[in-house]
């Protein structure tokens, strides 16, 4: 089963973003205080528990606990912050993003696999 890695610093984010030229990443921006976000996290984990794209690195950012990282992601990608939100980043470009109830295992499978 693929696993996500939580990042908490801008340095970690900068390294991951730079490395997207070699390995794309999927970032889930998750609010620990939001039921919609809780549902999105369950969908993310359901996707990772099946057959996720093995060429992708999976990341989690808790937007309340790691607000500076969340803000930096919005700034670097040009994607207005939402929570929950998922971004697929390849070659330092956001290829796909969605938020709220659109974050489903089925949607992720269709886009990422």
């Amino acid at each position: 089963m693929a696993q996500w890695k939580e990042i908490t610093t801008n340095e970690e984010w900068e390294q991951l973003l730079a490395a997207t030229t070699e390995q794309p990443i999927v970032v889930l921006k998750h609010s620990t205080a939001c039921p919609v976000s809780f549902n999105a996290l369950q969908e993310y984990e359901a996707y990772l528990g099946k057959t996720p794209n093995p060429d992708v690195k999976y990341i989690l950012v808790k937007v309340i606990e790691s607000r500076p990282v969340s803000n930096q992601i919005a700034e670097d990608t040009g994607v207005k912050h939402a929570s929950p939100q998922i971004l697929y980043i390849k070659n330092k470009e956001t290829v796909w993003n969605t938020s709220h109830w659109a974050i489903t295992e089925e949607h992720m499978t269709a886009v990422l696999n």
Side-chain angles (χ1 to χ4, degrees):
M1 173 171 142
Q3 187 59 294
W4 48 263
K5 174 188 191 309
E6 182 180 352
I7 61 169
T8 57
T9 69
N10 282 343
E11 291 75 26
E12 287 174 302
W13 163 246
E14 286 160 16
Q15 288 169 358
L16 281 168
L17 182 61
T20 61
T21 55
E22 288 155 34
Q23 183 180 30
I25 60 173
V26 171
V27 179
L28 178 68
K29 291 171 89 175
H30 170 62
S31 169
T32 51
C34 169
V36 178
S37 199
F38 177 76
N39 184 73
L41 180 60
Q42 287 186 310
E43 292 286 334
Y44 193 52
E45 290 181 332
Y47 168 75
L48 291 175
K50 294 224 170 126
T51 50
N53 184 332
D55 301 328
V56 175
K57 187 173 237 175
Y58 298 91
I59 307 301
L60 180 83
V61 175
K62 293 179 181 169
V63 297
I64 296 169
E65 295 82 350
S66 302
R67 173 108 25 229
V69 181
S70 176
N71 292 344
Q72 193 63 50
I73 291 170
E75 192 175 310
D76 290 344
T77 62
V79 177
K80 184 176 173 354
H81 170 75
S83 172
Q85 181 178 58
I86 197 165
L87 302 104
Y88 177 42
I89 303 166
K90 191 175 184 173
N91 295 319
K92 300 184 186 176
E93 298 287 320
T94 304
V95 181
W96 171 73
N97 76 88
T98 193
S99 66
H100 298 87
W101 294 109
I103 300 173
T104 64
E105 177 193 338
E106 187 179 355
H107 199 169
M108 283 180 267
T109 301
V111 172
L112 300 171
N113 290 13

